[in-house]
Amino acid sequence: MKKMIGMCVTSCLLLGSMGAVAAQADKPEAHPIPVPIASTPQDSFNKMNYILVVNGKPLQDRSVYSSENELMIPLRSLTEALDYKVTWNQEKKTVELQQAAQWFSLTIGEDRYNVARMLVQLGKAPELKNGRTYVPLSFAEKVLKMRTKVDETGVITISASEDAVQNMLQTDGVITEVKDLESSNKLLYVMGKAITPNGHSSIALNIDDKTEIIDGVTSKPLTAKDIKNNMKVQAFYSPKLTKSLPPQGHAERIVVFQQLGKVTGTVTEIREDKDNTLVHVDGDSDNKIENDVVLGFNEETTVLSVDGKTITKEQVKKGDKVTAYYGPIMTMSLPPISNANTVILETK
């Protein structure tokens, strides 16, 4: 988990310090401008405001914090979302968790987590802050046996180890197209990363009045009218899919985050950095620097072929045509610099 926090910090340093990739000879010289970085409500480089998403549902609790390079998460909010009974002993400063035959206990200030009467160390003791118990994020993975993921914008996803939500499939990515259907229904095309084993990197999903749509920032319910192109989403859907390309099915739940930036153009330069690959995209392939974007390819970047197959970042070459979704954080330099979320290689 320290690696994930380090990635967030690295992304910040990347966006704040690296200069723009050199422009082509017939473009004016680009001069990065040292100004504050634009952000959405959950993004802050000085104090990251994290969002907890548990089994596809964002929690109202926004009290995640960092302590000694470890993310600390609210124990009661997490475990009650997973239907655990939580018992606090004020005198002993201990917490007991129980769900059916599963039983765990922990003591504030002691890096000894009692798992089925066996002690497990996580390298970080539970802490009491403002009258609430916090545990390291690794508690979810190593004690509760959940899967965890932290992205560069502060979204923390915690999901069941087998499937993200019961028998649902999950894809995290971006909405590339929205089509209106009858009776206010919509058809979404989502491209990104398959999270569950049988999920798809490219999927078409029908949204109707049975689809649960949630704002990942506020946890408030949304409607199909709120769904827009270029939105970053977590999509949960039934395994009953057509055999078309892309497969098509019904969206059970859509968790909506930020609206990302989009650029379509030609790759003019690729440069290797310490932790990222920097890719200069000539927006609209028009040789006008004001339409360009410098993209940081990192371990969170998903690269797909135009037919939705996952490919490696190394397959993107100078001269290739791409469509890239980036952000939501970007510098206000010329050209702007931002981390790439999803990149579609259009050159065959």
Side-chain angles (χ1 to χ4, degrees), residues 154-316:
V155 177
I156 303 173
T157 302
I158 300 176
S159 56
S161 57
E162 292 299 322
D163 291 304
V165 183
Q166 297 179 358
N167 294 321
M168 293 187 202
L169 305 181
Q170 179 182 350
T171 298
D172 291 358
V174 62
I175 297 174
T176 60
E177 186 178 1
V178 180
K179 290 184 177 180
D180 292 325
L181 304 177
E182 296 179 356
S183 303
S184 300
N185 296 342
K186 292 181 182 289
L187 179 64
L188 308 184
Y189 290 87
V190 177
M191 298 187 76
K193 184 180 297 183
I195 302 302
T196 49
N198 295 317
H200 295 268
S201 55
S202 180
I203 186 76
L205 296 172
N206 289 288
I207 289 184
D208 56 22
D209 56 4
K210 296 181 180 179
T211 303
E212 182 181 21
I213 307 174
I214 306 172
D215 187 318
V217 177
T218 65
S219 300
K220 294 180 179 179
L222 301 175
T223 68
K225 294 181 179 179
D226 299 309
I227 299 295
K228 309 293 182 184
N229 286 332
N230 309 342
M231 280 183 164
K232 179 181 176 181
V233 296
Q234 291 180 341
F236 300 86
Y237 48 95
S238 167
K240 296 180 180 180
L241 303 170
T242 66
K243 294 183 179 181
S244 57
L245 288 176
Q248 185 171 329
H250 179 261
E252 303 294 334
R253 179 180 302 139
I254 301 290
V255 182
V256 177
F257 296 99
Q258 314 91 339
Q259 192 156 11
L260 301 179
K262 177 184 177 181
V263 62
T264 297
T266 304
V267 175
T268 59
E269 186 172 355
I270 300 176
R271 188 178 69 188
E272 296 298 327
D273 189 67
K274 181 179 179 181
D275 299 305
N276 295 267
T277 299
L278 308 182
V279 179
H280 189 140
V281 178
D282 177 11
D284 298 329
S285 303
D286 58 5
N287 291 323
K288 294 181 180 179
I289 198 168
E290 59 266 27
N291 294 327
D292 293 6
V293 179
V294 176
L295 302 172
F297 282 31
N298 55 41
E299 61 185 51
E300 290 296 312
T301 302
T302 301
V303 183
L304 304 172
S305 62
V306 72
D307 57 357
K309 295 180 180 179
T310 301
I311 60 177
T312 65
K313 302 175 183 66
E314 290 73 22
Q315 289 178 257
V316 178

Side-chain angles (χ1 to χ4, degrees), residues 114-175:
N114 196 327
V115 181
R117 312 297 175 182
M118 296 181 63
L119 295 180
V120 175
Q121 290 186 316
L122 302 179
K124 180 69 175 176
E127 297 179 351
L128 195 63
K129 185 175 182 180
N130 298 325
R132 304 180 65 194
T133 300
Y134 291 82
V135 293
L137 182 56
S138 56
F139 176 88
E141 186 174 2
K142 296 181 180 180
V143 176
L144 301 181
K145 304 303 180 183
M146 306 289 286
R147 293 187 304 179
T148 63
K149 175 188 174 185
V150 184
D151 74 10
E152 70 273 14
T153 65
V155 177
I156 303 173
T157 302
I158 300 176
S159 56
S161 57
E162 292 299 322
D163 291 304
V165 183
Q166 297 179 358
N167 294 321
M168 293 187 202
L169 305 181
Q170 179 182 350
T171 298
D172 291 358
V174 62
I175 297 174

